[in-house]
Amino acid sequence: MTETLISIVVPVLNEEATIASFLRLLQPLRDKQVEVILVDGGSQDQTKKVAEPYCDRIIDSDKGRARQQNAGAEVASGDLLVFLHADTLLPVSFLDVLNRFEKTGYQWGRFNVSLSGSKWMFSVISFMINWRSRISGIATGDQAIFVRRSTFHLAGRFTDIPLMEDVDLSRKLLRISKPFCVRDPVITSSRRWEVHGTWRTIFLMWKLRWKFARGVSPEVLVKEYYG
């Protein structure tokens, strides 16, 4: 059993088709002092109804991952917050990892990531994401960022921006502590790379990060991301 209650916050929007299978994998954790909070950003399908049996709480929020994750953190009971995307699967070592983290002086952390697809290029992409994250200290939402609740509020929570909210939070948390880097990977969907093309997606992601680092507004970048 974990020594500290953990709250997993999952932002969702129109995930009716896959949300049940995702949440079923979290059920064993709910018997070990882990609460699952689903934050719906205005789904037009049956996401909330399908998810209800598998969550401790379901709340509504304005659309946007930053807003949704802040809303989930606001009602969370846990001393540790885990921000998990609905297309990302936690490793079996999840509880052991957070128990180790809780005993350290680190204030936040993230997992390595592995893309779900079988193409050899996805292994290369995963390696590059993890290498970049270890060197820079910056984590993305696909890496299941976890943070002590008090530290999350001290850092100022997620900034209310439509894109790069995870990068922005990482920057703020880095002023407080280096990240606790977990080699055991979360498995995240390679769907975007498969649908939009591997190289095109790589180029787009790096271009957006470079522009964000140069000070381009997330309100501008989000149009390019979804364009």
Side-chain angles (χ1 to χ4, degrees):
M1 179 173 290
T2 59
E3 296 180 359
T4 303
L5 182 66
I6 298 167
S7 297
I8 299 177
V9 177
V10 184
V12 295
L13 181 66
N14 297 324
E15 299 284 357
E16 175 186 356
T18 58
I19 194 64
S21 59
F22 164 77
L23 290 172
R24 286 191 193 104
L25 296 176
L26 299 180
Q27 297 313 290
L29 299 176
R30 295 177 68 197
D31 296 326
K32 300 178 180 179
Q33 288 189 289
V34 178
E35 68 174 354
V36 177
I37 301 171
L38 199 79
V39 188
D40 188 81
S43 294
Q44 300 300 306
D45 60 10
Q46 297 298 308
T47 295
K48 291 193 293 183
K49 182 177 180 180
V50 173
E52 187 173 4
Y54 307 108
C55 299
D56 295 286
R57 297 194 66 169
I58 297 179
I59 64 173
D60 295 313
S61 166
D62 291 337
K63 179 182 176 181
R65 275 183 173 155
R67 294 178 179 179
Q68 289 173 246
Q69 290 174 127
N70 282 339
E74 195 65 32
V75 302
S77 302
D79 295 324
L80 297 180
L81 305 175
V82 181
F83 298 102
L84 183 65
H85 291 180
D87 61 357
T88 300
L89 307 180
L90 296 171
V92 295
S93 61
F94 171 73
L95 286 180
D96 290 337
V97 165
L98 288 203
N99 274 330
R100 293 202 308 271
F101 163 77
E102 199 275 332
K103 295 178 176 68
T104 71
Y106 289 93
Q107 297 300 304
W108 70 290
R110 56 79 177 159
F111 291 83
N112 273 4
V113 67
S114 178
L115 294 179
S116 62
S118 58
K119 292 181 179 179
W120 68 269
M121 191 61 187
F122 292 153
S123 296
V124 176
I125 295 170
S126 299
F127 173 83
M128 293 303 295
I129 292 173
N130 298 328
W131 175 82
R132 180 192 67 209
S133 181
R134 184 168 290 274
I135 295 298
S136 68
I138 299 296
T140 64
D142 290 333
Q143 293 176 278
I145 294 171
F146 52 91
V147 58
R148 299 179 193 272
R149 183 178 180 180
S150 57
T151 304
F152 176 71
H153 289 286
L154 178 64
R157 312 193 309 163
F158 285 99
T159 303
D160 187 9
I161 51 179
L163 197 68
M164 300 292 178
E165 77 288 339
D166 44 6
V167 174
D168 179 75
L169 178 65
S170 294
R171 288 177 176 175
K172 293 191 290 186
L173 290 172
L174 274 172
R175 301 184 190 123
I176 301 172
S177 162
K178 293 181 179 180
F180 184 83
C181 298
V182 183
R183 293 188 180 276
D184 295 349
V186 294
I187 309 298
T188 195
S189 174
S190 57
R191 178 176 54 189
R192 182 173 181 87
W193 282 268
E194 293 169 346
V195 171
H196 298 286
T198 303
W199 287 108
R200 179 181 178 186
T201 302
I202 292 172
F203 177 73
L204 175 63
M205 296 297 191
W206 279 92
K207 182 171 68 171
L208 292 176
R209 287 175 63 89
W210 181 80
K211 286 186 175 182
F212 184 64
R214 299 277 292 181
V216 177
S217 167
E219 285 74 17
V220 173
L221 297 179
V222 73
K223 297 176 181 178
E224 189 169 352
Y225 180 74
Y226 288 108

